[in-house]
Amino acid sequence: MRVFIAGIDGYLGWPLAIYLRANGHEVAGADLLLRREWVAEVGSLSALPIATREERLRAFHETFGTELDFRLGDLTDYDFVKGFFADFQPEAVVHLGQMPSAPYSMIDQTHCVWTQQNNVINNLNLLWAIKEVAPAAHLVKLGTMGEYGTPNVDIPEGFFEVEFRGRKDRLPFPRQAGSWYHQSKVHDSHNTHFASKIWGIRATDIMQGVVFGTQIVEMGDDPRLHSRLDFDQCFGTAINRFCCQAVIGHPLTLFGLGKQKRGFLPLADSMACLRLAVENPPAPGEFRVFNQFENAYSISELAYIVRGVAADIGLEVEIRHYDNPRTEMEEHYYQPDRRRLLDLGYQPTRDIKSVIKRMMLDLLEHRDRIEAHANVLIPDIRWDGRRKRSEIIG
Ligand code: USQ
């Protein structure tokens, strides 16, 4: 299948290009390399060194024997998107090309507005380009479990049956996002659903949990094929940050009580699920929603798992509570469904400890990079708009 990847240089986009190509698909993609700039803007860098675009292209060619059409371009530029679609004629479009950080979107007015403009407009451009150039193409849109928030009831996959004043309907489940970034994804979900309804676009909205890990087997030993791994307060996510903290002997940073629950999944599971979505497209006009995660964990449960794995490889790790820079529930009910991907054949990784161990061993080789930027481990971007470093509270 011809698969276009929007955001092909990112943490997920680059491994997905390798994974899909290794599994027989033709891949092309676009990126403006903004993730590299944002991480530098917040004073950090990828814990694992990453190759330049040119080096990645060379490695891809040497490994697979085909050129990768990876163009530098802005997805908010409609002419660029439309022109690329006209050349490539995608059968599937995987949209990973957005600003993905909740804290980054909360920095100030500029970052909030930019996040929403960028994310909402580039998703609209992809929808329009599908409509005008490749109407049979299937949009696999990366959304987030965070769109649902943490309601005090079970979370279905996108829609639920509801009875109100004696009448019944199947309606979109309420979205109650927790940051301007997550809000942008809610807008995308609404826009994608609407486009699907009016133009007959096939669409899968992926409500993905927090991804962790450094490797997929298809990357092999070539470091030019490896992906980035961030640990700063904006682009580093919970388990990845904890592993980076563990390898330099920094306390693991639990925000608040640490009883917040989220869905998590290894990088390899994310790739496998995206492939399942691509290879099993919905019917024209169908808008379907998949909840995508391996399991739900509380943040402190994960910190203890990371501490246990660290101990196995001889690292002593402390767990500390920091005052929470975010406005979020720290103790809550959390029971999301995740049936649809299992029905398509998703086999969740059972042994997340070995994924965490692999990541720590990879990171140990580059601990100096993390140590040199350890100041980005303590958050100072707060949801109330103040800028203040979190302090240890327990
Ligand atoms: N947290 C800590 N300590 C840390 C980092 C995070 O306790 O050092 C807590 C946060 O307070 C939050 C939870 O861990 O309750 C998750 O935070 P995160 O930074 O790992 O993830 P989040 O901000 O939710 O965003 C990430 C990705 C985003 C994706 C989302 C999936 O950056 O792109 O959409 O995970 S989900 O969380 O399901 O919405």
Side-chain angles (χ1 to χ4, degrees), residues 232-290:
D232 63 273
Q233 64 170 318
C234 288
F235 297 94
T237 49
I239 305 182
N240 290 353
R241 273 167 61 79
F242 293 163
C243 289
C244 291
Q245 292 164 345
V247 298
I248 63 160
H250 189 285
L252 308 192
T253 53
L254 285 185
F255 296 165
L257 292 177
K259 292 187 179 172
Q260 305 90 308
K261 279 193 163 177
R262 298 288 183 273
F264 282 83
L265 73 168
L267 183 61
D269 288 30
S270 169
M271 300 296 105
C273 289
L274 291 170
R275 178 184 171 199
L276 282 171
V278 164
E279 291 179 352
N280 296 279
E286 187 185 342
F287 171 79
R288 64 182 182 183
V289 180
F290 291 171

Side-chain angles (χ1 to χ4, degrees), residues 100-103 143-147 181-182 185 208-211 233-239 241-242 245 253-255 258 260 262-264 299 324 326 328 334 377:
S101 161
T144 163
M145 283 299 295
E147 291 182 37
Y181 150 71
H182 286 94
K185 297 290 216 184
Q208 182 165 258
V210 189
V211 181
Q233 64 170 318
C234 288
F235 297 94
T237 49
I239 305 182
R241 273 167 61 79
F242 293 163
Q245 292 164 345
T253 53
L254 285 185
F255 296 165
Q260 305 90 308
R262 298 288 183 273
F264 282 83
I299 304 302
N324 196 338
R326 305 183 181 203
E328 62 182 355
Y334 199 61
L377 291 170

Side-chain angles (χ1 to χ4, degrees), residues 8 151 156 272 285 350:
I8 197 168
R350 292 282 166 222

